[in-house]
Amino acid sequence: MTVLDDIIVGVREDLAMREADVPLEQMIEHATMRDPAIDPVPALVGPGISIISEVKRSSPSKGVLADIPEPGALAIEYQAGGAAAISVLTEKRRFGGSLADLDRVREKVAIPVLRKDFVVTEYQIYEARAHGADLVLLIVAALTDAELARFLTVTRELGMRALVEVHDEEEARRAAETGAEIIGVNARNLKTLDVDMSVFERLVGLLPDAAIKVAESGVSGPQDVLAYWRAGADAVLTGEALVKSGEPRQAVEQMIKIVSEA
């Protein structure tokens, strides 16, 4: 069993408990009662590089990264630093996240919010919207073609956007064929947790010209952001470097600045 497979087992177990508490029909009702989702596209296609800043407590590869007593306060710092969107990890077993974190961030910022989790059912998409998310993460490696197509449809019907994540050439092809509008290339292999930043440069040419291209993982500072931008990234999603920096606002500012001055 790969790391991804193991994570998904836990995700399904936790999901079953939440769905038993709030059935799908009720969650759909909650989702449709929310204010309209914020479109992240204008911020992601602006000049320079866009930063998707992540609220990330821990990870399977690094363990505990940072004590984040108030996710909303961290999100405010990210927004003040110029972040285009906030990513909130809601998987609890390996990443220490929760939907409560998503709620707190949504309450505090006016920019788009991404629910970053391992989406394996439609329920989670409605759940994301019910908690105020504007984007959801869809990991190609975790889904069949039929599931990916259906989940993209549900996302669009709710007025949301999807960050469709790929790790290799075959997944890049599958994402392109679904008409994905925002495609993330993750340098971290979710089966082994190894990181190879060259993956982005290898795959970016396979993505549709019109797609917004997001580089994920491997960022330790501004120089890595600059490298991704030079390789063709429109946006960079980063969490670890920010939560460990001690000065998240300044860290985001520096990542944006290094590209604007290049």
Side-chain angles (χ1 to χ4, degrees):
M1 179 180 288
T2 67
V3 175
L4 177 60
D5 293 333
D6 186 52
I7 291 173
I8 289 175
V9 168
V11 165
R12 288 189 181 278
E13 290 174 355
D14 294 340
L15 175 60
M17 290 188 286
R18 296 199 306 277
E19 193 164 2
D21 186 49
V22 182
L24 176 61
E25 294 75 15
Q26 189 175 346
M27 189 59 71
I28 291 174
E29 183 178 353
H30 291 331
T32 55
M33 290 175 64
R34 293 288 310 206
D35 290 337
I38 303 169
D39 187 0
V41 169
L44 294 178
V45 297
I49 195 75
S50 298
I51 302 297
I52 303 173
S53 303
E54 191 156 81
V55 176
K56 187 175 186 178
R57 299 176 183 275
S58 62
S59 75
S61 61
K62 299 290 183 66
V64 176
L65 299 173
D67 179 29
I68 305 175
E70 182 43 67
L74 176 59
I76 289 172
E77 289 295 294
Y78 286 158
Q79 179 176 256
I86 310 292
S87 170
V88 183
L89 274 153
T90 59
E91 196 279 332
K92 71 175 185 178
R93 299 195 185 197
R94 298 295 191 98
F95 294 90
S98 69
L99 286 163
D101 286 349
L102 180 61
D103 290 336
R104 293 187 184 104
V105 169
R106 176 71 287 162
E107 290 171 359
K108 297 296 184 179
V109 298
I111 58 178
V113 175
L114 162 69
R115 181 195 182 176
K116 195 176 182 202
D117 209 319
F118 298 79
V119 173
V120 290
T121 72
E122 293 179 22
Y123 183 92
Q124 292 161 286
I125 303 173
Y126 290 109
E127 188 178 51
R129 183 82 279 271
H131 286 267
D134 307 291
L135 302 99
V136 291
L137 179 71
L138 299 180
I139 302 173
V140 174
L143 303 170
T144 66
D145 287 346
E147 288 171 334
L148 181 58
R150 176 57 185 160
F151 293 174
L152 278 169
T153 296
V154 172
T155 301
R156 290 164 181 157
E157 288 173 349
L158 287 170
M160 303 170 72
R161 300 277 187 168
L163 171 59
V164 179
E165 181 176 291
V166 304
H167 303 82
D168 58 31
E169 287 82 357
E170 176 62 16
E171 292 175 14
R173 179 193 62 78
R174 291 175 58 200
E177 289 181 352
T178 65
E181 300 159 315
I182 307 172
I183 301 178
V185 176
N186 196 339
R188 186 179 302 281
N189 185 320
L190 290 184
K191 297 178 181 178
T192 66
L193 299 184
D194 294 334
V195 174
D196 178 1
M197 290 182 65
S198 71
V199 170
F200 181 84
E201 190 169 4
R202 191 175 78 239
L203 298 186
V204 68
L206 303 178
L207 306 181
D209 290 341
I212 296 171
K213 301 162 184 71
V214 182
E216 305 175 43
S217 297
V219 173
S220 60
Q223 288 294 336
D224 294 324
V225 172
L226 180 62
Y228 273 139
W229 176 72
R230 284 176 169 162
D234 300 301
V236 171
L237 190 157
T238 180
E240 180 179 341
L242 299 179
V243 299
K244 293 174 69 175
S245 70
E247 297 183 331
R249 180 190 304 195
Q250 291 87 342
V252 175
E253 289 174 345
Q254 289 167 7
M255 290 176 180
I256 296 170
K257 183 179 179 181
I258 196 171
V259 169
S260 68
E261 294 179 346

